[in-house]
Amino acid sequence: MAGAMENASRDIRYLDEDAEESEFGYVYSVSGPVVIAEKMVGSAMYELVRVGHEALVGEVIRIEGDKATIQVYEETAGLTVGDPVLKSGKPLSVELGPGLSSNIFDGIQRPLKAIQEVSQSIYIPRGIDTPALDRKLEWQFEPKGVKVGDHIAGGDMFGTVYENSLLRNHYIMVPPNARGTVTYIAPAGKYAVADVVLETEFEGVKAQHTMMQVWPVRLPRPSAEKLAADHPLLTGQRVLDALFPCVQGGTTAIPGAFGCGKTVISQSLSKYSNSDFIVYVGCFAQGTEVLMSDGATRNIEDVRVGELVLGEDGLPREVVALPRGTETMYEVTEVAEETHVPALGGISFTCNATHELVVRTEQSVSVSSETVDGEQQAVASYFALDTAIDMASGRSIQMVGVHRRFFQHSTHGGAAEAQRKAEKFASTVERSAISWTIEARDVERMSAGVRAATFQRYAPVLVESPALGAALEGAAIDATLAPKVAYLLGAWASSGDFEADHPTLAVNAKDQALLQRIAAYTSQIDCHSVAAITKSSGSNISVRIEGQASAASKLAVLMKRLIAEQGFGRNAKSLSSALRTDTFEVREQFLAGLFDSAGCMSNRTDKANINSAGYEVILDGAVSLARSMGIRASVQISGNKHGISLGSSAAFDAVVARCTLSGISDIAPVSDKIERSAHNFAFSMRELPAADYYGLTLSSSSDHQFMLANLAVVHNCGERGNEMSEVLMEFPQLTTEIDGRQEPIMQRTTLVANTSNMPVAAREASIYTGITVSEYFRDQGKHVAMIADSTSRWAEALREISGRLAEMPADSGYPAYLGARLASFYERAGKVKCLGGPERYGSVSVVGAVSPPGGDFSDPVTSATLGIVQVFWGLDKKLAQRKHFPSVNWSLSYSKYMNALEPYYERADPEFVSLRTKCKEILQTEEDLSEIVQLVGKSALAESDKITLEVARIIKDDFLQQNGYSNYDRYCPFYKTTWMLRNMIGFYKHATHAVESTSGQITWAKIRDNMGDIIYRLSSMKFEDPAEGEQALAEKYTELQRDMEEQFRSLSD
């Protein structure tokens, strides 16, 4: 609404203020969101009004005499006959300016995040007045190309604002209906959107302009000229870019039943399409400790919005929301890999059922021989990420599964050749571990093999907060001596005690090096302190830190205070959690002191052990401390003895280099730049009763992962409700690669969120809000994609409003003007020459998802949409059930932009059009042949027809199908699409020619047996990663083309 709420605060006086009698009408009747008001003479169609004492926002949609019919955009419960209705004289409008990107609005442009901050509620209070664009936020304004005295007109740019790294130049333009001579232009500086930055004068009338424009949603924004589109809207999906392309400025419909992948295609458009801007209409138990960015720990329920938690990379993550609720909970417990029993000193936390665990599956590749359906096969098995549909709930679940590739002995030249090909395929499988997320409730769905290879991670704490150094400064001791104090504290933690209130360490009499170090460190830290041997008992010596020459020992006092106050403990011997975030040198020295006092090397290149020395409770803290440095650590049990096992690594060597133990003191000092890595831990899950959960949602610019106090890396949380709530949670997490860097797609996205359970009138308005925002960015010279998901919900809103207005229903109860309303929306798409200067061109591409009941394309909304749009991407339920994604039916889908794009294809690759034509011909022929095969069998077909069937299979399985969750195939650039098509069609032509030119002497069976390797390489073209670059991929595909031609020549000879 500009938001309608803010317009109300500026253009409408509140209902409790004095107003002219003529500005008021009164409620006559109420029917859901439809209100009839009387005494409304002077009202205009689509005028904004405020209804009732709570000032609900509404819009006039019918006028009869002095009565006006109003659709109200908020819940009307409590309205009564006689309540006042205040007229505004203004249409429903939106605010356009800096701050639109990365924002989420409802259908009348109320900012949901700002409302939540004001109301501190997950619900939108009725009548709340929140501006769409933040009035307090200041933007760096830079005037461009305009000075005092210049003549300007609508659409002229007069400045820029840096909004984010993807929207570096948000152009500030003169409103389309303004003009005049510049009398003032603001100098460069920071301004809010409501500050005046430009003043003009025209015919003696002065006007002031801010960085914000207000525009009626139902009025299309003007342009200088509408142009024919000539550039494709590239989506990165082969089936769409190659067979059914859309243009920048085109209109597309995506009808499909539930579960067919409409949302995935929408996300692909947002992530990978060549658009400049997109408009798109888990948690823990109470008491879970979180690591804050400064190294402190905080209970999760005490964390607040705006605070910073610690990420795995040591950088802060801003908390932007606090999901709360009640749900079934799961206890996650670290277990020993070998025994699968809970690990002492291990990680444990409780999360809700829908919390996403950050997991890592170690790849397992194997080749074996099996008999399948009576046929001997060489089988290559490996792990890969799949997407499955939970038929009970309709959820899409991402899950690692076992993939198997079969090489039949009889069709691959015998057992040895089949084994060789299986091993060659296995060598191409990526060996790195698969990192992914899975909801807690879905862990039990993993197969046994995958579950055994799947781990969570704990990470080092990369933030360094010198707490010990600060404590030394407070005790008048040099802070640079903190590592040496840490060493003494480590030695005391293992075997220390107190004697006459002085810290006392037990030292092995044979360990003279340790004794000498304790004495040296004591005197260096405090010249008035000494490490005095007080008694000797067998092989042990007691060393007490005390004052020298009748002077008090500052070191003894400090150690006592640290032990007592900072959590090291006197009797319990627990280690301070503050150690995990101190400097790495302090941590290393503490662990070295602990290791010197109670440790031993079991194998220098393998691991070391620290004995508990009777204090088992120090084990938890010591394990956590070691892990905070990137050392693999765990508690080991041998009989009735407990100890810590430390795995060898560069981080471990840094600790060992500081020790005095015999046999390891000769280790060279390690580099300051030590790689500190996260490590896996095995875990078990246990379902618990429902309980309250507390979550953190992190900023969209982060990786959405943070660390608990136990060092576990976890995912941020959110509440899942209906389909739109999933979009709101998923979109801020998506990234796209721009100029070689990963950027959150929300930086070029605005979400207009309306779900089927929100007020029906707001749904009807949302589509106009979205298209108006799109036109604003188009006028800046940008190419905008507007994704309406779904127009079926919008049409249902029209139907409900029409029913309440008692209008004559048409097909399925929809109003007779459904087609006209759809057309008025889609016609706002297109490529234009923008109004004003400098000269620029922009476009709005509209992609409308349609959800026909049961996937019935004869639904009135689908039928009306198909009569308007130029591209039809029809999704097929059967393809989706076969896990063929994108599930675009190549027989039903079409594009009317083929001719418009031919000049582009001629420039990009002159061969592309003929390749696409032949591809469609093969697919159509295969569909016809399939009916014959069902009647007479495949053996009755001609050899050329057998080739057609096989090539069609390759095209369907390896060209039209894409894995949206893989690095290599989630996005396919146009050059890769063309090369894949060129080689597949090339194989078809060569094979057909070989059969026809030899009068049947060369059969398909002979080609298949002799060219199994080529067929395999054709199927594997999709595995080439575009990240390698166009030149590298072109070389590989060219080599395949040469090898294929050479083998066909050899076959013919």
Side-chain angles (χ1 to χ4, degrees), residues 988-1042:
Y988 172 79
K989 290 179 177 178
H990 285 304
T992 305
H993 178 264
V995 169
E996 293 175 350
S997 63
T998 59
S999 302
Q1001 292 182 8
I1002 295 179
T1003 63
W1004 165 244
K1006 187 174 181 180
I1007 294 173
R1008 182 188 60 204
D1009 293 341
N1010 286 274
M1011 303 193 68
D1013 182 55
I1014 294 295
I1015 295 173
Y1016 164 72
R1017 289 170 65 186
L1018 286 173
S1019 297
S1020 301
M1021 286 191 293
K1022 62 185 178 185
F1023 296 120
E1024 300 297 342
D1025 193 342
E1028 296 180 28
E1030 180 175 358
Q1031 183 176 354
L1033 262 64
E1035 290 175 357
K1036 292 181 180 181
Y1037 293 143
T1038 303
E1039 181 183 2
L1040 171 58
Q1041 188 182 43
R1042 285 197 301 265

Side-chain angles (χ1 to χ4, degrees), residues 15 93 119 170 174 176 234 259 305 309 323 354 378 429 481 584 596 647 669 764 879 904:
L15 299 189
S93 304
S119 65
H170 186 125
V174 179
L234 296 174
V305 171
V309 295
T354 54
V429 176
L481 298 173
F584 280 114
D596 271 347
E764 199 271 337
L879 286 175
Y904 170 84

Side-chain angles (χ1 to χ4, degrees), residues 359-372:
V359 295
R360 180 182 177 92
T361 302
E362 299 298 330
Q363 181 61 275
S364 174
V365 184
S366 62
V367 177
S368 60
S369 294
E370 298 180 16
T371 301
V372 181

Side-chain angles (χ1 to χ4, degrees), residues 879-948:
L879 286 175
Q881 289 170 342
R882 295 205 300 264
K883 304 298 182 287
H884 179 115
F885 292 103
S887 58
V888 177
N889 186 311
W890 47 85
S891 301
L892 293 176
S893 303
Y894 62 80
S895 171
K896 296 180 181 178
Y897 291 123
M898 300 292 198
N899 294 335
L901 289 173
E902 279 195 8
Y904 170 84
Y905 292 136
E906 281 295 322
R907 295 191 302 271
D909 194 317
E911 211 180 338
F912 175 77
V913 175
S914 60
L915 293 173
R916 179 181 62 197
T917 303
K918 177 57 76 173
C919 177
K920 286 186 171 182
E921 179 186 314
I922 292 171
L923 291 172
Q924 183 59 54
T925 305
E926 185 265 347
E927 194 169 309
D928 297 337
L929 289 173
S930 296
E931 298 177 3
I932 299 174
V933 170
Q934 290 175 358
L935 293 174
V936 299
K938 191 174 180 179
S939 59
L941 295 179
E943 293 300 321
S944 59
D945 291 339
K946 293 178 183 177
I947 295 171
T948 300

Side-chain angles (χ1 to χ4, degrees), residues 233-238 240-241 268-269 272-274 873 971:
L233 177 70
L234 296 174
T235 65
Q237 308 300 301
R238 287 187 291 270
L240 306 181
D241 293 342
S268 296
L269 281 167
Y272 305 121
S273 70
N274 53 341
W873 294 336
Y971 168 71

Side-chain angles (χ1 to χ4, degrees), residues 183 256 289 352 592 616 660 835 849 901 941:
T183 59
E289 289 190 326
N352 64 328
E616 296 179 8
T660 65
L835 206 62
L901 289 173
L941 295 179

